[in-house]
Amino acid sequence: MAAVGPRARTSRLVTRDLGDELLVYDLERHKAYCLNQVAMQVFRHCDGETTIPDMALRIGNALGMPVDEQAVRLGLVRLEKAHLLDSAVAQILYTSRREMLRTLGRAAVVVGPLVTAITVPTSAQAASGCLPVGSPCTGPGQCCRPFSCNNSIGNPGMKTCGGS
Amino acid sequence: MRRLLGRWLVTGELPPAPDEPLASLLVEVAREQGLAGLLHEAISEQRVRWPDAARLALRRAEQEDFAFGVRQLDTASRIQDLLGARGVRCLPLKGVALAERLYDSVAHRPMADVDLLVLDEWPRAVTLLEKAGFAEQGQADHARAFLDPASGIVLELHRGVTSCARLFPLDLDAAWRRSRAGAGLVKRVPSSEDLLVHLSLHAAFQHGLALRLVQYLDFRRLLEREPPDPALLAQVAVGASAQGAVALAFEAAHAVVAAPLSPALQELVTAWSPSGLRGYVASRLRADPSALLAPAEPALARLRWQLATGRRIALIRETLSPSLPTFARSAGFGRLGRALGLARRWFLPTVRSLGARPQK
């Protein structure tokens, strides 16, 4: 029987649950992602059985806040883009995507399922322990040369590695 | 800061609500000591109030260490497959052997590179890696470093655990028989007893006990979670002439991170402790164990000299002109240059250590 709901990829993925986010490493493509709570819940409920409306209900219960179907669809699109879903769900997503595009802005404002790529440092950076440009930092000497730890533009109180 | 982090590892008590400058320094030192991921987890679990910038820096460090660590373990796994398919056995050393075994996440055991010990034909292993596109980055007498162009990961292919590897002969076939399947990406890992001997040699002989905190934590977790069979540990250590290194490393791990030593292990430590170093090590461990931590300058020549008791001619010979074929035989000015370089690196800290009194 064909799956009625989207199914998450399970093979060649390494995951690490940090409580409020999920780190995922894709051993096929050698990419790493950070899923926020909503995206993590969407990913977890992609068992091939749960439909999108059911998913929205269950995720809302798990998070203790209303989550609408559009947010789930947005999460699925982002998971699919990161190749974290089985290709068998492409059709489910395709029919949903047109609808999703119409309501993308509204859903994104309500709940934001985020799938963020993690920058994998090079061996040289890891060995030196320095932070690459754009990384949050707290003091001098943490950033890879020639960058320095400066106040972040638009984020008062936050510092990031950037031009000196 | 290192002392604060060491105390946290021993007692589990985090510094309460540090202000921003202190938190910033702790984050920096936690990264240096390989503890950023563990510190991030502890702060989240204990719900300690920390400045947002510090929390974010720790979170980012854990994310990067996770991604980088998985990539490293995957590289180790691919190389085990590559060499294994051609009949060349290899076993992981240090972080690669421990990350999946002793830590909840690879992010909690960051490592600079991937270390693999080749058990069979060394030249063939090197050729296989070169044919697979790995580019040599450098070499020492006991290992060669390669860059995997596909992943950007640095691999250290070892034919010995330390420099002067002939001083510490390992029974590689026995180590393979004692090894077991890995729990995750890494295919095969050494036994607890073999690992403890490898870690001890690396800690005492290679680095003069100047390790990062997370490397001392390796000892504690291994002793806690996979307590070695004392008789087997003794057999492996005696076979590798590594008794002195094991005694020093266990003693230091006990002092720095409260690594548990059972009465049987304590007995071995007492019996094996190099007599020429007892006073030196005891006074430093009593005064301030955290002074041992990297990037401290160890009295490497002194430790190596004492650890090579009974084999000092071999130590000098192997140091000045390594006999392993990974290192091109040096002669004349080459040997003199190497001797001067080593003197600057090892003997000066040793001379300083003789004059310096341990801090109270």
Side-chain angles (χ1 to χ4, degrees):
Chain A
M1 196 179 81
V4 295
R7 186 187 293 278
R9 241 182 85 194
T10 52
S11 67
R12 304 283 292 155
L13 292 182
V14 179
T15 60
R16 165 73 182 151
D17 189 345
L18 297 184
D20 57 350
E21 61 187 24
L22 184 73
L23 306 182
V24 183
Y25 189 96
D26 180 351
L27 291 165
E28 298 286 347
R29 290 168 183 80
H30 293 290
K31 300 228 180 218
Y33 298 96
C34 174
L35 278 53
N36 75 351
Q37 268 195 324
V38 181
M40 172 168 74
Q41 289 292 337
V42 173
F43 183 71
R44 290 250 164 91
H45 283 86
C46 287
D47 54 8
E49 304 291 328
T50 310
T51 61
I52 291 173
D54 283 349
M55 219 183 269
L57 196 65
R58 288 184 200 179
I59 294 171
N61 288 338
L63 297 179
M65 62 182 190
V67 173
D68 71 10
E69 292 178 28
Q70 299 309 325
V72 173
R73 289 196 175 96
L74 182 61
L76 290 171
V77 168
R78 287 176 174 167
L79 290 170
E80 188 203 30
K81 199 174 164 195
H83 302 280
L84 299 179
L85 298 180
D86 268 343
S87 54
V89 301
Q91 273 195 320
I92 300 170
L93 279 173
Y94 185 71
T95 53
S96 305
R97 184 176 293 178
R98 283 181 294 180
E99 190 185 349
M100 186 222 45
L101 286 173
R102 284 199 297 270
T103 54
L104 183 66
R106 181 168 56 88
V109 169
V110 179
V111 186
L114 294 176
V115 179
T116 319
I118 298 172
T119 310
V120 186
T122 64
S123 275
Q125 286 167 344
S128 67
C130 64
L131 298 169
V133 64
S135 300
C137 54
T138 54
Q142 296 175 350
C143 304
C144 298
R145 288 179 186 176
F147 303 108
S148 56
C149 191
N150 300 318
N151 287 323
S152 172
I153 299 165
N155 267 322
M158 178 71 70
K159 290 180 173 180
T160 55
C161 293
S164 49
Chain B
M1 289 302 119
R2 294 185 191 105
R3 200 177 305 166
L4 272 179
L5 288 171
R7 194 184 306 151
W8 158 57
L9 288 180
V10 173
T11 64
E13 287 171 21
L14 284 166
D19 58 14
E20 190 153 339
L22 177 61
S24 162
L25 270 173
L26 275 169
V27 169
E28 198 171 326
V29 178
R31 284 181 70 100
E32 171 203 86
Q33 296 296 318
L35 296 173
L38 279 170
L39 184 60
H40 179 234
E41 183 184 61
I43 288 169
S44 305
E45 278 178 359
Q46 296 187 17
R47 300 187 183 285
V48 184
R49 284 174 56 85
W50 270 48
D52 286 345
R55 293 179 82 104
L56 200 60
L58 285 173
R59 177 179 290 251
R60 181 65 73 96
E62 177 159 13
Q63 290 176 353
E64 286 176 357
D65 287 345
F66 168 80
F68 189 63
V70 175
R71 190 173 280 189
Q72 286 177 310
L73 294 183
D74 183 56
T75 301
S77 169
R78 282 191 296 111
I79 293 164
Q80 282 189 310
D81 283 344
L82 174 79
L83 300 183
R86 281 135 185 108
V88 179
R89 299 167 300 172
C90 63
L91 285 173
L93 295 171
K94 302 183 274 176
V96 181
L98 299 163
E100 294 177 300
R101 186 169 175 168
L102 300 178
Y103 296 85
D104 292 338
S105 165
V106 65
H108 295 172
R109 179 55 177 90
M111 46 201 147
D113 49 33
V114 169
D115 295 283
L116 289 175
L117 176 67
V118 175
L119 310 188
D120 297 304
E121 304 162 69
W122 164 260
R124 199 148 159 255
V126 171
T127 307
L128 286 169
L129 279 186
E130 285 171 343
K131 278 188 180 165
F134 284 76
E136 185 170 323
Q137 298 287 294
Q139 59 174 273
D141 63 320
H142 67 297
R144 285 169 78 159
F146 293 90
L147 178 71
D148 177 5
S151 64
I153 296 296
V154 171
L155 161 76
E156 271 194 19
L157 200 64
H158 287 251
R159 60 171 311 162
V161 176
T162 62
S163 302
C164 310
R166 292 204 170 167
L167 292 177
F168 307 106
L170 301 172
D171 184 343
L172 299 177
D173 286 323
W176 181 258
R177 282 196 300 276
R178 288 188 291 264
S179 68
R180 57 179 166 82
L185 290 169
V186 180
K187 300 287 185 321
R188 201 152 190 91
V189 290
S191 70
S192 172
E193 291 80 6
D194 284 292
L195 259 176
L196 283 165
V197 171
H198 297 167
L199 293 175
S200 299
L201 281 170
H202 176 254
F205 189 82
Q206 197 67 19
H207 291 291
L209 300 176
L211 300 183
R212 293 183 298 157
L213 267 168
V214 76
Q215 292 174 301
Y216 275 116
L217 190 58
D218 291 340
F219 280 96
R220 186 171 104 188
R221 292 200 167 186
L222 204 48
L223 290 167
E224 278 173 353
R225 298 179 189 191
E226 297 182 25
D229 170 1
L232 182 54
L233 178 71
Q235 184 192 321
V236 176
V238 170
S241 303
Q243 301 99 306
V246 170
L248 284 184
F250 280 24
E251 210 176 345
H254 179 67
V256 175
V257 292
L261 296 180
S262 64
L265 290 182
Q266 188 62 63
E267 210 171 292
L268 291 179
V269 168
T270 308
W272 289 347
S273 186
S275 56
L277 287 172
R278 268 183 208 140
Y280 168 77
V281 172
S283 66
R284 267 144 190 84
L285 294 182
R286 247 196 331 269
D288 180 12
S290 67
L292 283 179
L293 296 173
E297 263 192 343
L300 203 52
R302 183 174 184 174
L303 264 76
R304 288 191 174 188
W305 187 251
Q306 293 298 334
L307 288 171
T309 302
R311 297 166 289 163
R312 286 174 178 160
I313 300 291
L315 172 69
I316 293 169
R317 195 177 56 234
E318 289 289 315
T319 302
L320 295 180
S321 181
S323 55
L324 293 179
T326 47
F327 200 91
R329 277 189 173 277
S330 51
F333 286 117
R335 199 174 293 178
L336 181 65
R338 180 169 165 77
L340 289 173
L342 292 174
R344 197 183 57 206
R345 206 176 117 211
W346 296 350
F347 288 97
L348 293 181
T350 296
V351 170
R352 277 199 289 272
S353 82
L354 292 172
R357 288 171 180 278
Q359 291 175 342
K360 299 278 178 193

